[in-house]
Amino acid sequence: MKPIQEWLDAYGVSHQNKTNKLIHWICVPAIMFSIFGLIMCIPFPVEKSLLLNWSSVVILFVLLFYLRLSFPLFVGFILIGALIIWGNYSLLLFFQHATTHLAIFSAVIFAIAWVFQFIGHHIEGAKPSFLEDLQFLLIGPLWLLHFIYKKLGITY
C-alpha cells in the first residue's frame, strides 16, 4: 500500500484551483454523510440503534483502511465518523424511523454534491482522481483532514 503522503500528493494534483478546493470542502463531507445515510437505510438484522446499523459496520472498515495509512488521521476520523453516524441516526429519528425519508434526503444531497464536484473538476480542467483509482474516494476526506492537521501543527 502507498504511504499516506503519496496518496495525498496524488489527490492534490487534480485539486489546485481555489474554486475546486472550496467545492471539495463542502461536497466531500456532504457526499460522505449522504453515503452513510443511504447505507443506514439498508435493513439491519436487529432493530437499528446508534451503533447497530450498517453505517456503523461500514465505517469500521473505512477506519481500518485509514489506520493502515496513518494513525493520527485514523484518530481524527474516529470523531468525524462518529459525527456522521450520529448525524444520520438523528435524521432517522427525526424522520421517525422512516428510512425512505432518510434515503430520499441522502440521495438528493449525494446527487447535488456530485454535480458540484464535477463542476469543480471542469473548472480545474482535471478529471476526478477516483476515475484513476477508486480508493481515492476514501482519500478525499483524509486530504481535507490533513489540511486541518497542518493548520493545527499535528503531524500525520
Side-chain angles (χ1 to χ4, degrees), residues 52-115:
L52 293 175
N53 61 71
W54 287 117
S55 285
S56 295
V57 172
V58 171
I59 212 140
L60 290 175
F61 287 101
V62 171
L63 285 167
L64 288 174
F65 177 75
Y66 289 167
L67 179 60
R68 290 184 65 205
L69 292 173
S70 162
F71 184 75
L73 290 172
F74 158 79
V75 170
F77 203 82
I78 289 173
L79 175 61
I80 294 167
L83 289 172
I84 288 170
I85 298 300
W86 174 80
N88 276 298
Y89 188 71
S90 296
L91 281 173
L92 189 60
L93 292 177
F94 175 78
F95 294 133
Q96 299 176 343
H97 288 279
T99 54
T100 305
H101 297 324
L102 178 58
I104 291 168
F105 177 83
S106 297
V108 168
I109 297 297
F110 181 84
I112 291 169
W114 270 112
V115 166

Side-chain angles (χ1 to χ4, degrees), residues 24-36 106 109-110 113:
H24 276 65
W25 274 99
I26 297 165
C27 293
V28 167
I31 289 168
M32 187 158 233
F33 187 84
S34 65
I35 287 171
F36 282 98
S106 297
I109 297 297
F110 181 84

Side-chain angles (χ1 to χ4, degrees), residues 125-142:
K127 294 185 298 188
S129 303
F130 79 88
L131 294 176
E132 179 185 318
D133 186 336
L134 285 176
Q135 292 179 85
F136 278 116
L137 291 171
L138 293 173
I139 298 302
L142 292 185

